[in-house]
Amino acid sequence: GAARSRPEPPRAMRPFRIGVLGGGAMGSLWAARLAPVAASLSPRPLPSTAPSAAAAGGGQDANDVWIYTRWQEHARRIQEQRGVWYQPLEGSRSLRSCQASDSVDEILNNGGPMDIGFVFVKGKEATYTSGVAAHELLRPGGILVTLQNGMGHEEILRFAAGASMKLAIGTTTVGATVEPGIVTLRGEGETVIARGKYSKDRRSGTLDAVSVGKIMRNAGFSTNIVPPEEKLCMLWKKLIVNASINPITALFGIQNGAIHADEPHGVRSLAEGVATEAALVAQKIGLKGFSVEDSIQSVMRVSLNTRFNTSSMLTDVRNGKKTEIETITGWVCSEADRLEIDVPLNKKLLYHIRNIENSPGSERTVVAVEDLLNFQEIPLKGRK
């Protein structure tokens, strides 16, 4: 695209821009928490005395961070406020300066090319659209970072954004909820990003996973950078957590913490069974560090740390939208079939969520825990 061929001023003379592709809970959270960091990286004169700048902490330009989203009401509120209200776990909320649009041209004309793009969309079509947008939005030397749930996004993004796009793959267990113009943190977690295999580029202004990690830590995200060879392991660890929490919360209409608390009774052992099946698939693939016990502990830790969070899958079910079940549980089941491993609990969850997606809202029913547990029991003890 034309945006990628524009002449660039020296890095020290131009503002630092961050693009977030996807305006849901996670995209809005990243925009809100990264806004002050982007401001600190951008050279500019003394801060404006405008109310919006002062409310956001002073010195921020709403054009530092842009959210690319099709959610019109959310985008309109952000435009009117020149920012998104951010509610932390404790303390009062604050307005974080950013802007939102569904137009790549509007973002480029007002914000200019982006240094970093974060992808938080759901589904193959939205991932492809985000990749195409990122091709136009990111400057040469910039980096695209996907922190999406599930598997299969990397290939789509590489195809849509172009082979020359620097792409970093990561996961996060942070929890948040969103309503138009407001994002609320529901639980801290860990973000992991795998370094890419792209060649080292020492030119001024280039970015890699390590520099992205530093920026995210400055924004308050606990971030760990792992070598490229640990990428698949990283993705499967998060996949097991998502497969063990999201469908169960969606089916029973419960928050994440209900699994750890075992409310209703049986959901905890159900999640343990799902994690056990998925961990055995990961082991069969040949991935290291996938003991059943460690996988179950990870699921319960995330359930507890994000106990007040409403999973994205439950939100989608309530809103009558398509969920991420195919890239999460669907992926576990397809890999299990390929390796000839029985995963009855995962398949039952997949069946029920698909059923809900294909049912009108009035026909959507809560599933009995006993129905999901009515399988040959999976021995949890003695597994390594």
Side-chain angles (χ1 to χ4, degrees):
R4 298 183 64 80
S5 60
R6 293 177 182 176
E8 286 292 316
R11 173 68 192 92
M13 294 172 58
R14 59 177 170 78
F16 191 90
R17 303 300 201 204
I18 294 175
V20 178
L21 297 105
M26 300 307 293
S28 300
L29 178 66
W30 249 249
R33 288 176 70 165
L34 285 168
V37 179
S40 71
L41 293 169
S42 295
R44 59 169 55 96
L46 290 174
S48 165
T49 55
S52 61
Q60 289 177 225
D61 179 349
N63 288 317
D64 286 334
V65 177
W66 278 82
I67 300 173
Y68 177 68
T69 180
R70 300 296 170 89
W71 186 7
Q72 295 294 331
E73 187 180 1
H74 189 41
R76 181 177 57 78
R77 291 280 184 89
I78 291 171
Q79 290 167 0
E80 291 171 354
Q81 300 167 173
R82 291 188 63 78
V84 61
W85 284 101
Y86 169 58
Q87 176 62 59
L89 290 174
E90 297 179 355
S92 58
R93 71 181 189 179
S94 60
L95 184 65
R96 300 295 180 91
S97 291
C98 64
Q99 271 295 2
S101 176
D102 65 352
S103 165
V104 169
D105 287 338
E106 181 182 0
I107 296 173
L108 287 172
N109 290 335
N110 292 280
M114 304 288 134
D115 292 273
I116 306 175
F118 289 96
V119 183
F120 285 107
V121 297
K122 293 178 282 189
K124 293 180 180 179
E125 290 184 10
T127 299
Y128 178 80
T129 301
S130 294
V132 172
H135 177 78
E136 298 298 322
L137 288 172
L138 263 67
R139 66 173 79 254
I143 185 169
L144 186 63
V145 184
T146 171
L147 296 170
Q148 297 164 274
N149 287 336
M151 305 284 271
H153 307 297
E154 179 179 359
E155 295 76 10
I156 297 173
L157 287 172
R158 288 196 187 281
F159 178 79
S164 62
M165 176 68 69
K166 203 182 300 181
L167 180 63
I169 315 299
T171 64
T172 186
T173 56
V174 179
T177 55
V178 68
E179 55 189 286
I182 306 169
V183 63
T184 302
L185 179 66
R186 296 296 184 185
E188 294 285 8
E190 184 184 26
T191 301
V192 184
I193 302 175
R195 292 200 307 270
K197 292 184 177 179
Y198 36 77
S199 60
K200 291 285 184 181
D201 191 339
R202 298 296 183 185
R203 292 176 300 170
S204 174
T206 60
L207 292 156
D208 60 11
V210 175
S211 51
V212 170
K214 183 178 179 181
I215 289 169
M216 285 178 47
R217 289 186 201 103
N218 288 340
F221 293 109
S222 174
T223 307
N224 185 29
I225 307 299
V226 299
E229 57 269 20
E230 292 183 23
K231 180 178 71 177
L232 190 58
C233 211
M234 168 196 75
L235 290 171
W236 264 90
K237 285 180 179 178
K238 178 65 190 308
L239 183 68
I240 291 172
V241 169
N242 283 139
S244 306
I245 293 178
N246 293 25
I248 296 173
T249 60
L251 286 174
F252 301 112
I254 54 178
Q255 291 184 313
N256 290 4
I259 290 174
H260 183 274
D262 196 29
E263 296 173 356
H265 178 66
V267 292
R268 180 171 179 137
S269 60
L270 173 59
E272 290 177 349
V274 172
T276 298
E277 291 179 352
L280 294 176
V281 174
Q283 287 177 357
K284 189 71 178 287
I285 290 173
L287 299 175
K288 304 298 181 184
F290 279 90
S291 76
V292 167
E293 195 58 42
D294 286 348
S295 297
I296 290 173
Q297 286 180 5
S298 293
V299 169
M300 294 306 152
R301 183 171 59 250
V302 172
S303 170
L304 182 62
N305 289 345
T306 62
R307 55 191 174 277
F308 301 118
N309 192 45
T310 301
S311 75
S312 57
M313 195 170 291
L314 174 55
T315 300
D316 287 339
V317 165
R318 285 174 170 170
N319 293 333
K321 294 183 178 179
K322 193 170 179 63
T323 74
E324 299 170 284
I325 195 69
E326 301 299 336
T327 59
I328 297 174
T329 309
W331 191 278
V332 173
C333 292
S334 63
E335 285 295 281
D337 287 344
R338 181 177 68 83
L339 297 165
E340 299 183 335
I341 298 174
D342 290 332
V343 288
L345 293 177
N346 278 276
K347 287 190 173 180
K348 193 71 172 177
L349 291 175
L350 180 62
Y351 168 82
H352 280 298
I353 295 292
R354 282 176 173 171
N355 221 24
I356 287 175
E357 288 183 341
N358 294 325
S359 303
S362 59
E363 295 180 15
R364 296 185 174 193
T365 57
V366 173
V367 180
V369 180
E370 293 77 14
D371 176 47
L372 287 164
L373 292 177
N374 188 25
F375 285 89
Q376 179 181 356
E377 286 194 12
I378 302 164
L380 301 181
K381 295 180 179 179
R383 300 279 192 181
K384 299 296 183 186

